[in-house]
């Protein structure tokens, strides 16, 4: 798995979308859109953008003992409604906040000119107070690939790649995000073949 560092090798898939092809039968990734946060010769890491999570943000705050029951009831509306998603099948109990760069802490990792990732409680506390970044969502778990694994999956017709859209990343409507990610590329799902072709 690629590890995060402030200054790290950036791969060609950094900041790209991975869009699952119809032949993707792995239930963790079928019809998913993934934002690649880190890609290098060591592997890749990203977050699924269109899988809901049953937990609510107030439940997470209670579990982490950041608030008690009374405080959970009085959370700002923005915090009560803060979006949590399933980021992938790896370390599903671990939380990450993908967010705009208007909030930074010592532990925030810049992903590109506009997006950061923070995986510490300071951002969770800020959001619980109605502060924090303008655009953000919490991911529980992540997706990862070992060295060369993602490149092989792409070569074997597992994924389409395209530049990421910040608007789509933070769009709260998850049900049709897959189709909309394809539409950004000018592709309709019916145009895709599950059979790999090689010249």
């Amino acid at each position: 798995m690629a590890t995060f560092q402030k200054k790290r090798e950036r791969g060609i898939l950094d900041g790209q979308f991975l869009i699952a092809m119809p032949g993707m039968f792995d239930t963790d990734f079928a019809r998913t859109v993934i934002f690649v946060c880190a890609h290098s010769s060591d592997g890749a890491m990203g977050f699924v953008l269109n899988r809901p999570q049953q937990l609510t943000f107030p439940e997470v705050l209670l579990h982490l003992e950041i608030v008690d029951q009374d405080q959970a009831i009085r959370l700002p509306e923005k915090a009560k409604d803060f979006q949590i998603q399933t980021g992938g099948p790896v370390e599903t109990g671990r939380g990450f906040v993908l967010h705009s760069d208007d909030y930074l802490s010592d532990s925030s990792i810049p992903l590109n000119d506009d997006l950061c990732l923070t995986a510490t409680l300071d951002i969770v506390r800020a959001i619980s107070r109605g502060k924090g970044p303008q655009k953000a969502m919490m991911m529980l778990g992540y997706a990862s690939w070992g060295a060369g694994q993602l490149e092989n999956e792409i070569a074997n017709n597992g994924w389409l790649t395209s530049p990421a859209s910040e608007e789509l990343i933070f769009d709260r409507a998850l049900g049709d995000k897959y189709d909309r990610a394809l539409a950004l590329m000018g592709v309709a799902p019916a145009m895709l073949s599950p059979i790999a072709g090689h010249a």
Side-chain angles (χ1 to χ4, degrees):
M1 182 193 83
T3 56
F4 282 117
Q5 299 166 352
K6 297 274 182 173
K7 293 180 181 177
R8 60 181 174 82
E9 174 189 349
R10 292 189 178 267
I12 58 169
L13 296 173
D14 264 76
Q16 295 281 306
F17 279 159
L18 297 176
I19 304 168
M21 288 289 284
M24 177 69 72
F25 297 117
D26 182 332
T27 55
D28 287 324
F29 297 115
R31 290 185 57 84
T32 57
V33 179
I34 294 177
F35 175 67
V36 179
C37 295
H39 174 237
S40 73
S41 57
D42 295 329
M45 176 185 182
F47 296 103
V48 175
L49 298 176
N50 59 331
R51 289 280 195 268
Q53 172 57 238
Q54 298 302 317
L55 279 175
T56 66
F57 190 61
E59 288 170 338
V60 169
L61 295 175
L62 286 166
H63 175 75
L64 294 172
E65 298 180 352
I66 291 174
V67 299
D68 59 28
Q69 286 287 355
D70 289 339
Q71 292 167 323
I73 294 168
R74 295 191 305 271
L75 285 172
E77 282 305 312
K78 187 175 178 181
K80 285 181 187 175
D81 196 36
F82 185 66
Q83 188 167 17
I84 301 181
Q85 294 176 207
T86 299
V90 182
E91 292 192 66
T92 55
R94 188 171 175 198
F96 303 84
V97 179
L98 184 62
H99 60 91
S100 50
D101 67 353
D102 53 342
Y103 174 93
L104 290 173
S105 72
D106 289 341
S107 58
S108 296
I109 299 160
L111 300 177
N112 59 28
D113 292 341
D114 304 308
L115 298 177
C116 296
L117 187 70
T118 305
T120 51
L121 290 181
D122 53 342
I123 193 169
V124 176
R125 289 189 183 98
I127 293 166
S128 74
R129 296 190 300 267
K131 310 290 185 189
Q134 285 289 85
K135 298 179 184 176
M137 62 185 167
M138 177 179 276
M139 303 292 197
L140 295 182
Y142 58 91
S144 71
W145 295 263
Q149 182 184 357
L150 181 54
E151 293 85 342
N152 287 337
E153 290 181 12
I154 292 169
N156 288 316
N157 207 37
W159 302 98
L160 286 174
T161 63
S162 75
S165 155
E166 185 176 320
E167 182 179 338
L168 195 65
I169 288 172
F170 293 111
D171 190 314
R172 295 176 62 94
L174 305 185
D176 64 346
K177 193 174 277 195
Y178 177 79
D179 292 336
R180 287 183 292 127
L182 287 173
L184 286 175
M185 299 177 66
V187 175
M191 297 167 60
L192 299 175
S193 169
I195 308 300
H198 298 285

